[in-house]
Amino acid sequence: MRSRTLSAALLMASVCFAEYRTALPGYRYQFPRDHFSHPEFQTEWWYYTGNVRDAAGRKFGFELTFFRQGADRDIKKNPNVWDVEDAWLAHFAFSDIDGNRFLHTRRLNRSGARLAGADAAQHRIWNGNWCAQLSADASKHQLRAVADQFRVDLELNAAKPPVIHGVNGVSQKAEGAGHASHYVSFTRLVTRGSVEVEGKQFHVEGLTWMDHEFFTNQLGEGQTGWDWFSLQLDDGSELMLGRLRRKDGAADPFSSGTYVDRTGRARHLTAREFELKPGRTWASKETKGVYPVEWMVRIPSLKIDAMIRTRLPQQELTGGGTDYWEGAIEVNGTREGRALSGVGYLEMTGYAGAVRMGS
């Protein structure tokens, strides 16, 4: 699913959706072209989330995200380099799990003067000096980002080819044509490099998940938020689970997921094929949002029963107009009666205020 709230909720432009394409069935992906910008769609994002550790076992999580929000598609006779055709937002967050610290920052730029963008010719996505540099075949990604208190310099190697979520080229989010996205992920990026927090550097390795979605209008009436899970399991498989929530708190029937086996083969999961139950909560003193930071997941067809937890409950991102929780998680359970563990990321929206994306 990965219905990202921030580009639209923070940067929603006063434009007519008719000026943009909508995500419709039958889209034919072409790589590496489709790893980069699609300005004919109003909203687009690239999301890197990862769990890494150093040689002593100290654990960290990170999130580096790039958003593009279409703002003005008028054709001008005399275009200016400072015209705002697209607004570019980026988020950078760092979870020092064993140090019990969560740090985050964000920035906003425009595409004029090449301050931000996603360029297929350069195989690059960037916002200022925060950058994801891809190899020509997109099998390698280099992430570099610097903030006042933390930084990352990481090399990611794709252990599997990209996965397309949904059915017939679209990840459907609600009833009706266009309430969908085109959604592709690298679900297992083997990660090595360095992270730095408050002047101390750590050499680390681990796993990263990368999401890329582009669309114009997704959510439908009555949908107030979502719970999104990316799980990288120690048996070599991965799971994406997206639970859309309705106003009464119930799961929406358009909730869905994807299972990726150890060979990279993907299988679509409907809402009926998995169960997510929230458990223990964490209450934010800043926003008053109450977030479930413990979840039970059951997927009978895969014989998976597991618990999802975090050791750092305070991974809430605030101060940008829409507040949400996104952070590193751990998975423990069984598959076919055998022990199963893993790592991942969880995003929860709509707990500290309603989510509004498009209309």
Side-chain angles (χ1 to χ4, degrees):
M1 176 192 144
R2 203 78 181 199
S3 297
R4 292 301 180 181
T5 178
L6 297 176
S7 56
L10 299 180
L11 301 173
M12 180 58 66
S14 56
V15 297
C16 175
F17 282 130
E19 297 177 15
Y20 294 91
R21 287 180 60 183
T22 55
L24 298 173
Y27 185 84
R28 300 180 68 85
Y29 290 82
Q30 295 182 31
F31 299 116
R33 180 202 68 182
D34 279 325
H35 294 312
F36 300 98
S37 187
H38 299 79
E40 66 273 25
F41 294 88
Q42 188 184 29
T43 305
E44 187 163 16
W45 49 60
W46 297 259
Y47 249 80
Y48 290 88
T49 51
N51 285 270
V52 294
R53 64 174 66 193
D54 72 358
R58 183 164 178 167
K59 295 180 179 180
F60 306 95
F62 72 89
E63 170 189 341
L64 180 60
T65 67
F66 303 91
F67 302 89
R68 179 191 59 79
Q69 178 70 24
D72 185 359
R73 279 289 170 269
D74 292 337
I75 299 175
K76 298 179 175 64
K77 292 182 180 180
N78 299 300
N80 186 288
V81 70
W82 297 111
D83 288 342
V84 183
E85 291 187 352
D86 295 293
W88 289 82
L89 176 71
H91 285 186
F92 183 25
F94 189 80
S95 301
D96 182 0
I97 296 168
D98 292 311
N100 197 38
R101 288 178 292 183
F102 180 64
L103 306 168
H104 65 94
T105 187
R106 68 190 75 210
R107 60 174 50 160
L108 177 64
N109 260 315
R110 64 184 76 195
S111 52
R114 308 289 291 175
L115 297 176
D119 192 316
Q122 297 183 57
H123 309 115
R124 184 171 176 249
I125 306 143
W126 77 97
N127 193 315
N129 63 353
W130 300 356
C131 175
Q133 180 69 56
L134 279 61
S135 61
D137 63 357
S139 65
K140 298 181 184 297
H141 302 220
Q142 185 78 35
L143 300 186
R144 292 191 177 96
V146 178
D148 288 344
Q149 295 178 286
F150 56 104
R151 64 177 62 196
V152 299
D153 188 346
L154 300 168
E155 182 178 294
L156 321 177
N157 290 278
K160 298 180 181 181
V163 169
I164 297 169
H165 299 282
V167 177
N168 198 15
V170 295
S171 176
Q172 195 73 28
K173 306 303 196 300
E175 188 71 39
H179 287 285
S181 70
H182 299 306
Y183 180 7
V184 60
S185 297
F186 285 94
T187 62
R188 187 168 292 253
L189 291 160
V190 178
T191 303
R192 292 181 177 84
S194 65
V195 301
E196 185 177 309
V197 57
E198 296 182 342
K200 187 172 183 179
Q201 188 178 70
F202 301 86
H203 295 282
V204 296
E205 59 183 35
L207 293 173
T208 298
W209 181 294
M210 188 272 197
D211 270 350
H212 180 202
E213 276 189 275
F214 48 100
F215 61 94
T216 294
N217 186 19
Q218 287 200 102
L219 299 187
E221 291 294 327
Q223 295 174 331
T224 60
W226 55 83
D227 309 299
W228 175 92
F229 303 78
S230 65
L231 309 178
Q232 295 161 316
L233 304 175
D234 62 1
D235 65 358
S237 65
E238 297 88 47
L239 278 165
M240 183 281 290
L241 301 173
R243 178 181 180 263
L244 287 158
R245 294 194 319 279
R246 303 193 65 80
K247 289 180 180 179
D248 62 1
D252 189 275
F254 281 94
S255 302
S256 64
T258 305
Y259 170 70
V260 185
D261 71 16
R262 63 174 59 216
T263 70
R265 184 172 53 188
R267 170 186 158 190
H268 177 69
L269 300 173
T270 67
R272 295 179 179 180
E273 293 181 83
F274 63 91
E275 181 182 2
L276 287 163
K277 284 188 176 180
R280 182 174 61 93
T281 61
W282 172 79
S284 168
K285 293 180 180 179
E286 183 173 355
T287 67
K288 311 305 180 186
V290 179
Y291 299 93
V293 292
E294 185 176 275
W295 292 80
M296 181 276 291
V297 58
R298 293 188 67 249
I299 309 175
S301 64
L302 298 174
K303 299 181 180 179
I304 290 176
D305 288 272
M307 289 298 300
I308 294 168
R309 298 182 177 91
T310 182
R311 293 202 285 130
L312 192 63
Q314 66 268 31
Q315 295 175 97
E316 183 188 39
L317 288 90
T318 61
T322 294
D323 303 313
Y324 71 112
W325 195 102
E326 182 148 16
I329 54 175
E330 297 176 353
V331 186
N332 287 283
T334 61
R335 182 172 188 179
E336 297 182 332
R338 294 189 293 272
L340 182 70
S341 62
V343 295
Y345 253 71
L346 164 60
E347 178 182 87
M348 297 179 284
T349 71
Y351 292 94
V355 176
R356 300 183 183 278
M357 293 188 67
S359 57

